[in-house]
Amino acid sequence: MHFNRLIAGAAALAFVSVANASIYKSGSTVEVDGTYYYIPATPVSSLGVGYDQLKTTCSAGDDFIPLTVMTGNFNTFDAAALVSEVSKYTDADDVFSTGFLQAIYLVSSTPAELHASLTSTLAGYSNKLFMVSATSNSSITATSCTSELLTGPYFLHAYTGAVYQAYRLYSDFEGAFTEGTIANADGNFSTMSASIPGVQSPTIGVPSRLYYTKTDAQPLAGVRLGVKDIYDVAGTRRGCGNRAYYDLYPERPTTAPAVQKLIDAGAIIVGKMKTSQFANGEMATADWVDYHSPFNARGDGYNDPSSSSSGPGAGIGAYEWLDLGLGSDTGGSIRNPAQVNGAFGNRPTHGLVTLDDVMPLSPLMDTAGFITRDASLWKTAGQVLYGSNLSTFTSFPKKLYTSGFPVNITSEADSVFFDFVFKLELFLGTNASVLDYDSMWAASPQAVSTNASTLSDLLALTYPTLIGKQQYTLFGAPFIADYEAAHDGRHPFLDPNPLVRWTWAQTNATTLEEGINNKTIFMDWWNSEIIKPDAETCSESLLLYPGTLATPNPRNVYIDPPQIPAGWSVQNVAIMAGVPDMVLPIGQAPYNSTISLHEEQLPVAIDIIAAPGCDALVFELAEQLQNAGIINAPKAGSTMYRREVSARLE
Ligand SMILES: *[C@@H]1O[C@H](CO)[C@@H](O)[C@H](O)[C@H]1NC(C)=O
Ligand SMILES: *[C@@H]1O[C@H](CO)[C@@H](O)[C@H](O)[C@H]1NC(C)=O
Ligand SMILES: *[C@@H]1O[C@H](CO)[C@@H](O)[C@H](O)[C@H]1NC(C)=O
Ligand SMILES: *[C@@H]1O[C@H](CO)[C@@H](O)[C@H](O)[C@H]1NC(C)=O
Ligand SMILES: *[C@@H]1O[C@H](CO)[C@@H](O)[C@H](O)[C@H]1NC(C)=O
Ligand SMILES: *[C@@H]1O[C@H](CO)[C@@H](O)[C@H](O)[C@H]1NC(C)=O
Ligand SMILES: *[C@@H]1O[C@H](CO)[C@@H](O)[C@H](O)[C@H]1NC(C)=O
Ligand SMILES: *[C@@H]1O[C@H](CO)[C@@H](O)[C@H](O)[C@H]1NC(C)=O
Ligand SMILES: *[C@@H]1O[C@H](CO)[C@@H](O)[C@H](O)[C@H]1NC(C)=O
């Protein structure tokens, strides 16, 4: 020992002019009862116990002991109270397991009287160390800590008494994430260094749900959030779905204000999530050259997850341990992944929240929204992100319009769809009618003044013009110039899709001004003539259209080379009019898979369009429909609802 230190000292003297090697601890990975956990490098607290007390309970080599902190008013604490706490934790949290009962620290608001019945129950949990905070009739060492510990699982360092938070590690087996992240004490984030061995996937760490309590100030406390990799998160790189881009730029200095709002409300960023390249539309598999498209967990697991918020969509569809995805929607990039991955998803009213420090596609149409499995969380997250920019309402609209509905019921998906629409009509006390906005346009003075007899004449080229010209100018050209400057004039690799779009934008004579003009004409017409504002209901009417009718879209099919995204459909209404278009998962229906050669279930979803600023109305409607059992919060995984249950009820 002494000899080694002497040598080290001599070496330091001899090479005094050489900089010291820097050693940075990045935490440790451990296994508790077969489950992987991450222990960060920095403790959150420390217990007033040391090696002298712990060596009698710990075996040699036990440097970390799994610990459970229990807080509450435990004036009498007996076996029944212990068992009840344990079952509360097991129900509420996926990080806690009975393996953490090896050490227990009981923090009672009044002096706890420990009952003799505890002894055998504790032994049953393999408990080696039981500590209490307040004086009691126990002979077990009372302890103190440097900062308050919240209920939940931790790791206790046997030699120092330091206490570390426990992160459960999950494998991102569907490829929804680019990397896991962990918050540092200074407000920056680091890439999660832990890795579950042998699963060929990134590893994501999630903290215990027991640490967090939702409050008015922190309505998202403990909500596990994945962020599309076009938003800046301080201390991590932003990749935007392109390898050259990820490589070129350093870690971001700040967190995008939209993300920061969610963090301030208590959300926990667990990772950055995949986007198709530069948030352009890409189909699995041929379009995704730089990275592999995430997998859609629904059905046979081999359907396209859609894009561009593919990562948030696939992750929310697949992982029960992930609560919320922050995506962006310019031309369907939240709505389409939400539909096919079986989740709620919103394209909000344009301009509700700033998109500073976010990669632009077209600032005239870019929006920030969510993908999630729960309508209540969806509403809360919306209130946090859009705040006072949401318009109020006092009752639900009485007018329901439809567009693009199936004519006849020819499949189970159609039945599921119409069953929901029927219940919605009853709920709102109204009957839906078809909105023939194409004919209304053809008869409008605007159709005459623009010489565009159909909306397709007016708008088919508007979307590719706005995204192509704006993204190339604001983002593409500076990126290419930076890359060429750093690589002796070499051009960065671009996936076929953004390449086609950027090339078209540079060569086609159509001007940005013409696109803006056409968009403005449509927006003014739609918002004054079709779905109008209303003082009482915010939106005079709601427009419904089918999001998906359980149509398979297998990812192992070769597709045509990409073209510019020209065309016109009802899904472009919200893009051009700047209005909310929100996806509700309403059921599932069977299809025969060409992959599993078995019947599988895919999502059925409906889209709801409202007047500008009326997002809160649709959030509220979705929550009330969920509370009334008209729709159900979907589960993650292959099937959204456990069919055995409904079959038994029928
Ligand atoms: C603590 O006191 C209670 C009630 O006085 C008694 O039942 C219990 O056995 C005591 N526990 C221990 C560990 O001495
Ligand atoms: C966060 O990380 C960025 C990028 O590395 C750096 O510029 C900034 O100084 C860091 N902030 C803190 C508080 O460490
Ligand atoms: C409302 O939107 C504007 C424009 O995007 C933004 O600057 C402002 O911060 C938003 N307000 C709230 C409360 O989010
Ligand atoms: C719908 O059903 C009606 C009545 O059976 C039939 O006349 C009509 O052709 C069907 N329409 C379509 C689009 O299948
Ligand atoms: C909706 O239509 C049904 C069937 O035609 C009718 O019985 C009901 O009164 C209508 N409801 C409303 C609110 O108009
Ligand atoms: C519409 O067509 C008329 C006749 O061809 C032409 O004079 C006019 O300039 C056109 N207007 C627009 C806005 O293109
Ligand atoms: C704008 O609308 C006109 C018809 O009025 C159409 O010919 C033109 O292609 C449109 N351009 C764009 C960029 O939307
Ligand atoms: C612009 O692109 C559209 C769609 O590919 C094409 O129809 C049109 O001819 C092009 N116009 C010009 C002026 O290049
Ligand atoms: C799947 O195939 C079987 C056998 O051909 C058929 O009976 C069944 O209706 C099909 N299911 C669906 C959802 O198409």
Side-chain angles (χ1 to χ4, degrees):
M1 208 61 185
H2 286 271
F3 181 70
N4 280 343
R5 232 181 263 149
L6 245 165
I7 298 284
L13 281 177
F15 298 101
V16 75
S17 62
V18 175
N20 287 329
S22 84
I23 295 181
Y24 168 76
K25 288 189 189 172
S26 60
S28 342
T29 307
V30 297
E31 242 184 288
V32 177
D33 292 344
T35 299
Y36 283 96
Y37 291 88
Y38 171 70
I39 307 175
T42 313
V44 283
S45 187
S46 118
L47 290 177
V49 285
Y51 182 63
D52 284 348
Q53 282 144 298
L54 294 172
K55 69 183 174 195
T56 52
T57 31
C58 312
S59 6
D62 264 1
D63 44 355
F64 286 113
I65 312 167
L67 163 77
T68 298
V69 174
M70 300 183 172
T71 63
N73 184 355
F74 302 115
N75 46 19
T76 56
F77 196 74
D78 57 10
L82 174 61
V83 169
S84 139
E85 284 301 297
V86 169
S87 91
K88 239 167 52 189
Y89 301 169
T90 310
D91 289 350
D93 188 29
D94 53 342
V95 178
F96 174 80
S97 77
T98 52
F100 283 88
L101 299 171
Q102 288 176 48
I104 294 174
Y105 177 45
L106 188 72
V107 184
S108 181
S109 51
T110 54
E113 278 204 346
L114 303 180
H115 199 268
S117 63
L118 282 172
T119 314
S120 67
T121 312
L122 286 171
Y125 288 133
S126 306
N127 178 269
K128 298 187 274 192
L129 185 64
F130 188 90
M131 302 165 280
V132 283
S133 61
T135 41
S136 69
N137 63 342
S138 146
S139 59
I140 304 164
T141 323
T143 59
S144 63
C145 56
T146 52
S147 71
E148 195 195 353
L149 277 168
L150 305 166
T151 303
Y154 294 86
F155 289 94
L156 172 65
H157 194 264
Y159 308 130
T160 61
V163 177
Y164 298 80
Q165 287 194 322
Y167 286 75
R168 179 164 177 182
L169 296 177
Y170 284 103
S171 153
D172 173 27
F173 53 83
E174 301 286 21
F177 285 84
T178 56
E179 59 190 40
T181 53
I182 184 162
N184 302 330
D186 64 7
N188 264 10
F189 290 78
S190 300
T191 299
M192 168 60 74
S193 62
S195 171
I196 298 179
V199 289
Q200 302 189 343
S201 308
T203 293
I204 310 300
V206 301
S208 168
R209 294 192 184 280
L210 299 171
Y211 302 153
Y212 306 100
T213 307
K214 294 185 168 63
T215 61
D216 288 347
Q218 295 226 301
L220 297 178
V223 166
R224 297 165 184 172
L225 171 71
V227 177
K228 184 178 184 177
D229 193 24
I230 64 167
Y231 289 85
D232 284 6
V233 171
T236 69
R237 289 186 179 215
R238 189 178 80 176
C240 304
N242 180 280
R243 295 168 74 225
Y245 186 89
Y246 182 86
D247 234 40
L248 182 62
Y249 296 108
E251 284 73 19
R252 298 284 151 177
T254 51
T255 296
V259 177
Q260 191 61 47
K261 275 190 174 195
L262 302 173
I263 296 170
D264 293 345
I268 308 298
I269 305 183
V270 300
K272 298 293 292 288
M273 303 193 82
K274 277 187 191 160
T275 173
S276 50
Q277 196 164 92
F278 305 130
N280 285 271
E282 291 191 302
M283 304 242 310
T285 294
D287 288 342
W288 288 70
V289 180
D290 252 0
Y291 294 98
H292 208 50
S293 163
F295 287 84
N296 179 342
R298 304 305 188 185
D300 59 29
Y302 276 83
N303 281 285
D304 192 297
S306 192
S307 63
S308 65
S309 307
S310 318
I316 290 294
Y319 306 136
E320 214 62 57
W321 48 263
L322 180 69
D323 302 319
L324 188 65
L326 177 66
S328 68
D329 189 310
T330 305
S333 288
I334 286 174
R335 291 168 290 159
N336 297 154
Q339 289 157 356
V340 302
N341 292 286
F344 297 91
N346 65 302
R347 175 192 172 85
T349 300
H350 185 255
L352 287 190
V353 64
T354 172
L355 291 178
D356 289 352
D357 307 322
V358 186
M359 181 210 72
L361 181 48
S362 164
L364 290 163
M365 303 184 290
D366 291 344
T367 61
F370 300 104
I371 301 184
T372 180
R373 290 180 307 275
D374 179 66
S376 298
L377 173 58
W378 198 28
K379 179 175 111 175
T380 304
Q383 285 163 343
V384 167
L385 192 59
Y386 315 125
S388 55
N389 283 347
L390 294 175
S391 305
T392 55
F393 62 98
T394 51
S395 61
F396 289 131
K398 285 285 180 199
K399 228 186 260 179
L400 265 189
Y401 290 130
T402 71
S403 179
F405 273 30
V407 178
N408 292 329
I409 297 182
T410 59
S411 67
E412 192 173 326
D414 294 343
S415 310
V416 167
F417 185 77
F418 281 110
D419 181 57
F420 168 79
V421 173
F422 176 69
K423 287 175 179 160
L424 178 64
E425 288 175 328
L426 279 182
F427 185 84
L428 294 175
T430 183
N431 285 333
S433 60
V434 174
L435 179 71
D436 186 3
Y437 58 81
D438 285 315
S439 302
M440 294 167 85
W441 170 262
S444 71
Q446 288 87 345
V448 177
S449 66
T450 57
N451 284 348
S453 59
T454 66
L455 285 171
S456 183
D457 291 343
L458 182 75
L459 297 167
L461 280 183
T462 314
Y463 183 73
T465 301
L466 296 185
I467 59 161
K469 304 224 179 242
Q470 287 207 298
Q471 192 175 46
Y472 182 73
T473 309
L474 298 172
F475 176 85
F479 160 53
I480 292 167
D482 288 351
Y483 187 90
E484 287 177 349
H487 293 89
D488 194 23
R490 291 179 175 84
H491 197 268
F493 176 80
L494 304 176
D495 271 3
N497 222 310
L499 181 60
V500 161
R501 294 168 179 210
W502 288 0
T503 305
W504 181 81
Q506 291 166 78
T507 52
N508 194 275
T510 311
T511 63
L512 178 63
E513 288 63 37
E514 187 185 317
I516 295 174
N517 184 46
N518 288 12
K519 178 184 182 294
T520 307
I521 290 168
F522 174 80
M523 176 166 66
D524 294 346
W525 172 75
W526 182 272
N527 292 333
S528 61
E529 301 295 327
I530 311 300
I531 309 284
K532 300 174 197 168
D534 183 273
E536 198 184 313
T537 62
C538 191
S539 189
E540 187 191 64
S541 59
L542 298 173
L543 171 61
L544 313 175
Y545 71 93
T548 177
L549 294 168
T551 314
N553 187 11
R555 58 186 283 150
N556 61 338
V557 171
Y558 289 90
I559 53 171
D560 294 332
Q563 296 176 345
I564 56 157
W568 169 253
S569 77
V570 66
Q571 99 142 19
N572 294 47
V573 164
I575 304 169
M576 295 299 155
V579 301
D581 180 344
M582 303 176 51
V583 176
L584 273 57
I586 57 174
Q588 62 189 1
Y591 74 107
N592 280 324
S593 165
T594 56
I595 289 159
S596 65
L597 307 181
H598 197 282
E599 197 171 87
E600 308 284 359
Q601 303 287 329
L602 281 179
V604 177
I606 197 163
D607 277 61
I608 304 182
I609 291 177
C614 301
D615 309 58
L617 170 73
V618 188
F619 283 130
E620 181 66 29
L621 177 62
E623 187 185 42
Q624 289 197 20
L625 292 172
Q626 183 176 285
N627 290 344
I630 293 173
I631 54 176
N632 294 294
K635 304 261 179 239
S638 170
T639 54
M640 298 162 69
Y641 313 98
R642 302 297 175 248
R643 283 177 74 79
E644 315 82 81
V645 176
S646 56
R648 236 183 292 128
L649 292 176
E650 279 158 10

